[in-house]
Amino acid sequence: MDRTLESLRHIIAQVLPHRDPALVFKDLNVVSMLQEFWESKQQQRAPFPSEGVVVYESLPSPGPPFVSYVTLPGGSCFGNFQCCLSRAEARRDAAKVALINSLFNELPSRRITKEFIMESVQEAVASTNGTLDDADDPSTSIGAYHYMLESNMGKTMLEFQELMTIFQLLHWNGNLKALRETKCSRQEVISYYSQYSLDEKMRSHMALDWIMKEKESPGILSQELRMALRELEEARKAGQELRFYKEKKEILSLALTQIYSDPDTSSPSDDQLSLTALCGYH
């Protein structure tokens, strides 16, 4: 623990040289410090997209407790985990969680190396009752995970998390199962989606999928949205990275909005973002 704190102080001294490392997390101006940190990262030509900025979102509420989210360049999202009596306090608390995670992301242990991959694969094998031989077989889930890690060698965990979020959503949405039925290999799917970021186009496609599911099973959208909101709140209070849960909420909310604004929503065959189009590269 002492070594980790010393490493964090070293990172703060490098990225925020005019700040006192011992006072960083006690400073009430943590919002400006988080912005300053990421501006410094972008000036160093860090691999996160330059168009990304630190973005805050406060949930509408007539009174406390207030909730605030902060999205970092690259897409990672964090929120306040304390009970905050003002919007400003919630914003500061969210910024503090994001700053701590941003600094931890700079530690050497948070970068994907051969040693990290070996340990991660062994943990995956232990948790799934698989074998180490599965790691060399991309048709298995452990093999696909191994391939994803090796394809992102040298990246930090926050960078890798964006790709993982895409595949978490594809699995939740049912798209991965559909892609397997089209005979697309796991490696092809990973290679294809590794080229794309999670944007409005992808969200719209997933929302359309849920609209079709709602037509087949009325009420499933509201049920999934309630579950997503509960998961998001639990993850926020635990101080976890929130993008997967928040994206689920956004996709389901978009689907509900489209249903109520346009009862005759077109079928996937009429939409340019149909699953067939996404599989067309195969």
Side-chain angles (χ1 to χ4, degrees), residues 27-38:
D27 194 329
L28 290 178
N29 205 13
V30 67
V31 172
S32 66
M33 288 185 349
L34 180 63
Q35 182 68 36
E36 185 181 335
F37 174 89
W38 281 100

Side-chain angles (χ1 to χ4, degrees), residues 68-70 72 75-82 93-94 97-98 101 110 158 161 168 230-246:
S68 181
Y69 298 109
V70 55
L72 304 176
S76 295
C77 179
F78 300 93
N80 61 297
F81 69 93
Q82 299 189 75
D93 194 50
V97 175
N101 278 274
R110 302 294 291 171
L158 284 186
Q161 184 62 43
Q168 284 178 293
R230 185 170 64 251
E231 291 173 342
L232 177 59
E233 182 179 14
E234 291 173 353
R236 177 181 61 80
K237 289 180 177 178
Q240 297 175 8
E241 202 279 326
L242 304 174
R243 191 175 189 191
F244 171 57
Y245 308 106
K246 196 165 182 293

Side-chain angles (χ1 to χ4, degrees), residues 13-77:
Q14 283 185 316
V15 183
L16 303 172
H18 59 288
R19 300 279 187 179
D20 183 347
L23 301 176
V24 162
F25 299 118
K26 298 178 182 178
D27 194 329
L28 290 178
N29 205 13
V30 67
V31 172
S32 66
M33 288 185 349
L34 180 63
Q35 182 68 36
E36 185 181 335
F37 174 89
W38 281 100
E39 286 177 354
S40 174
K41 290 287 294 177
Q42 290 180 353
Q43 289 171 3
Q44 295 170 14
R45 299 187 177 181
F48 287 102
S50 59
E51 69 271 12
V53 293
V54 176
V55 178
Y56 291 88
E57 174 190 353
S58 295
L59 293 189
S61 174
F66 292 99
V67 174
S68 181
Y69 298 109
V70 55
T71 301
L72 304 176
S76 295
C77 179

Side-chain angles (χ1 to χ4, degrees), residues 23 88 142 156 160 231 263 281:
L23 301 176
I142 292 176
T156 65
F160 182 61
E231 291 173 342
Y281 71 96

Side-chain angles (χ1 to χ4, degrees), residues 25-264:
F25 299 118
K26 298 178 182 178
D27 194 329
L28 290 178
N29 205 13
V30 67
V31 172
S32 66
M33 288 185 349
L34 180 63
Q35 182 68 36
E36 185 181 335
F37 174 89
W38 281 100
E39 286 177 354
S40 174
K41 290 287 294 177
Q42 290 180 353
Q43 289 171 3
Q44 295 170 14
R45 299 187 177 181
F48 287 102
S50 59
E51 69 271 12
V53 293
V54 176
V55 178
Y56 291 88
E57 174 190 353
S58 295
L59 293 189
S61 174
F66 292 99
V67 174
S68 181
Y69 298 109
V70 55
T71 301
L72 304 176
S76 295
C77 179
F78 300 93
N80 61 297
F81 69 93
Q82 299 189 75
C83 180
C84 297
L85 302 181
S86 71
R87 290 185 175 84
E89 183 185 359
R91 183 177 170 124
R92 285 196 300 269
D93 194 50
K96 185 179 293 185
V97 175
L99 181 59
I100 291 172
N101 278 274
S102 297
L103 290 169
F104 265 98
N105 193 56
E106 297 298 305
L107 294 175
S109 61
R110 302 294 291 171
R111 196 167 289 277
I112 298 176
T113 62
K114 289 183 178 180
E115 293 75 16
F116 178 89
I117 292 174
M118 186 178 300
E119 291 177 6
S120 299
V121 169
Q122 288 174 345
E123 289 175 4
V125 168
S127 64
T128 60
N129 295 320
T131 67
L132 283 175
D133 291 337
D134 293 336
D136 296 323
D137 183 359
S139 66
T140 66
S141 57
I142 292 176
Y145 179 55
H146 186 205
Y147 177 76
M148 286 179 68
L149 286 170
E150 287 198 325
S151 300
N152 289 272
M153 182 82 74
K155 290 187 177 181
T156 65
M157 290 310 297
L158 284 186
E159 294 172 287
F160 182 61
Q161 184 62 43
E162 179 171 12
L163 179 61
M164 284 298 293
T165 299
I166 292 176
F167 282 94
Q168 284 178 293
L169 289 170
L170 290 172
H171 176 72
W172 162 72
N173 203 47
N175 288 144
L176 284 184
K177 181 180 179 181
L179 285 167
R180 284 198 295 271
E181 291 172 354
T182 65
K183 307 300 182 184
C184 294
S185 72
R186 291 177 188 262
Q187 282 179 308
E188 288 173 320
V189 173
I190 292 169
S191 297
Y192 179 76
Y193 279 102
S194 295
Q195 305 172 45
Y196 295 91
S197 60
L198 190 49
D199 56 14
E200 291 302 321
K201 188 176 181 181
M202 191 176 292
R203 292 187 192 97
S204 296
H205 166 67
M206 292 187 180
L208 186 61
D209 284 340
W210 281 101
I211 289 172
M212 300 311 298
K213 291 178 183 180
E214 176 70 15
K215 290 181 178 180
E216 296 170 1
S217 304
I220 191 173
L221 257 179
S222 297
Q223 179 182 337
E224 282 287 329
L225 183 56
R226 284 194 298 271
M227 187 183 304
L229 289 170
R230 185 170 64 251
E231 291 173 342
L232 177 59
E233 182 179 14
E234 291 173 353
R236 177 181 61 80
K237 289 180 177 178
Q240 297 175 8
E241 202 279 326
L242 304 174
R243 191 175 189 191
F244 171 57
Y245 308 106
K246 196 165 182 293
E247 290 289 351
K248 284 171 66 174
K249 185 201 80 167
E250 298 295 339
I251 290 165
L252 294 167
S253 299
L254 177 60
L256 279 173
T257 299
Q258 291 181 358
I259 285 176
Y260 287 114
S261 64
D262 184 10
D264 297 321

